């Protein structure tokens, strides 16, 4: 049985769907059973990273756990709670969703490093997935695009190996059901490095009218995120992430998706075509 944390999120939702379609026994975690819907046959369980006893109950009887925390400085605490629950429940394998560049940043902004270390030192079998930027992040532009407005660009012409989160989920599914990926760290990217203006152009092709970008300085970006009430540590990490991408520091493409799945990763154009409705209205 596979326990999926973050099961209602971008990657987890797709992972639950894939595992259920493969006929695996899946237990999906959410904090709110009334809101969540899962495919037939999937067991839903309420658990919260901040209530360790609920995680321990959820992990009972699981062979493997997919460990996903919502982004933020709380990731080390959440990962520690999941690793402890896995050990207490006698789980064999944990697959952690981490992020590209983990280990390359100052430690106070490296939210995934402590969880990677905790998992590697746990005695459990582990796989670490370090995806690049998700194609689905551009859904935050959907309102602007539907309204014919330009989309904000905090990254200039900096390029990234933007990855389809469904590919990340499929790699996770493979790692959860087989020992073949134990002890591996995969950096998951799409097939090419692309910039914000290139993504906007692709979305313009998909909706049938040009999508423009408008530069947003990092100071303005910081102000907007702060005004939106986001945690200061989150704001700093988001701003520094944009700075890194703008300078070319995340221009990385790997063949890890293809090596695991035996097929090339889906492109941003593939993802955009499949999500046309969100941008076209
Ligand atoms: N976006 C990117 O470009 C990118 C790139 C690389 C890595 N990542 C990493 O990907 C992860 C985010 O993945 P995602 O986008 O799939 O997640 P997401 O869509 O933000 O969903 C977050 C999930 O976490 C669950 N959750 C939140 N707080 C919880 C708590 N206290 N206890 C239990 N569950 C909780 C939510 O479940 P309920 O609300 O149902 O409880 C939800 O399923 C982050 O760790 C991030 O660093 C993201």
């Amino acid at each position: 049985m596979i326990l999926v944390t973050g099961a209602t999120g971008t990657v987890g939702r797709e992972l639950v769907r894939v595992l259920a379609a493969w006929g695996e026994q899946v237990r999906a975690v959410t904090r709110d059973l009334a809101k969540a819907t899962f495919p037939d046959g999937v067991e839903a369980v309420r658990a919260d990273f901040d209530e360790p006893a609920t995680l321990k109950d959820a992990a009972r009887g699981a062979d493997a756990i997919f460990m996903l925390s919502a982004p933020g400085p709380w990731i080390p605490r959440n990962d520690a709670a999941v690793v402890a629950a896995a050990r207490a429940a006698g789980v064999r394998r944990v697959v952690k969703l981490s992020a590209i560049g983990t280990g390359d940043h100052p430690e106070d902004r490296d939210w995934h490093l402590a969880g990677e270390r905790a998992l590697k030192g746990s005695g459990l079998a582990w796989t670490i997935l370090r995806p690049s930027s998700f194609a689905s992040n551009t859904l935050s532009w959907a309102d602007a695009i539907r309204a014919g407005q330009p989309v904000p660009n905090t990254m200039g012409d900096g390029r990234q190996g933007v990855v389809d989160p469904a590919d990340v989920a499929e790699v996770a599914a493979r790692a959860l059901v087989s020992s073949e990926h134990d002890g591996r760290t995969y950096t998951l990217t799409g097939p090419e490095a692309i910039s914000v203006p290139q993504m906007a152009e692709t979305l313009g092709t998909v909706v049938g009218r040009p999508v423009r970008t408008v530069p947003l300085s990092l100071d303005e970006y910081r102000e907007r995120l702060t005004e939106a009430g986001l945690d200061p540590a989150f704001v700093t990490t988001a701003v520094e992430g944009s700075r890194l991408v703008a300078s070319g520091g995340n221009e990385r493409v790997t063949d890890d998706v293809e090596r695991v799945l035996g097929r090339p990763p889906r492109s941003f154009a593939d993802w955009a075509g499949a999500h046309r409705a969100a941008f076209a209205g």
Side-chain angles (χ1 to χ4, degrees), residues 37-278:
T37 52
F38 297 110
D40 287 347
V42 170
E43 180 192 357
V45 64
R46 189 199 164 273
D48 191 319
F49 297 130
D50 295 322
E51 299 169 32
T54 62
L55 279 181
K56 286 189 180 147
D57 286 346
R60 200 163 294 137
D63 301 297
I65 298 182
F66 179 64
M67 180 161 90
L68 181 155
S69 172
W74 42 81
I75 290 178
R77 194 178 69 229
N78 292 352
D79 284 352
V82 174
V83 169
R87 290 183 51 144
V91 170
R92 274 207 314 267
R93 169 178 303 122
V94 173
V95 175
K96 169 171 166 56
L97 187 74
S98 180
I100 194 167
T102 294
D104 297 347
H105 310 296
E107 288 217 7
D108 60 337
R109 284 198 281 110
D110 212 331
W111 294 335
H112 286 286
L113 188 60
E116 288 195 4
R117 285 180 177 154
L119 182 55
K120 287 178 179 172
S122 66
L124 301 163
W126 56 267
T127 306
I128 289 167
L129 310 181
R130 292 177 174 172
S132 187
S133 179
F134 296 169
S136 51
N137 293 347
T138 60
L139 287 170
S140 67
W141 301 343
D143 288 349
I145 292 176
R146 282 198 309 272
Q149 302 291 322
V151 298
N153 180 9
T154 58
M155 300 173 182
D157 289 323
R159 302 191 305 162
Q160 313 189 71
V162 175
V163 66
D164 186 330
D167 282 347
V168 177
E170 209 174 316
V171 171
R174 295 283 181 101
L176 284 160
V177 301
S178 149
S179 58
E180 204 184 318
H181 306 285
D182 289 353
R184 301 282 178 88
T185 298
Y186 294 121
T187 297
L188 305 176
T189 73
E192 59 184 343
I194 50 175
S195 66
V196 166
Q198 287 172 309
M199 287 192 276
E201 192 181 334
T202 299
L203 290 168
T205 305
V206 163
V207 298
R209 59 190 151 74
V211 172
R212 286 171 298 122
T213 62
V214 60
L216 183 69
S217 75
L218 294 182
D219 285 342
E220 287 171 302
Y221 185 37
R222 183 184 296 281
E223 261 171 47
R224 280 196 195 181
L225 295 177
T226 304
E227 274 166 19
L230 291 170
D231 183 292
F234 191 103
V235 174
T236 300
T237 298
V239 169
E240 293 311 316
S242 283
R243 195 189 308 281
L244 179 79
V245 175
S247 70
N250 195 29
E251 191 172 332
R252 224 181 134 189
V253 170
T254 73
D255 61 1
D256 285 3
V257 169
E258 180 154 11
R259 282 199 292 139
V260 175
L261 300 184
R263 61 154 177 86
R266 298 177 183 105
S267 67
F268 182 73
D270 295 334
W271 179 90
H275 293 81
R276 182 181 179 280

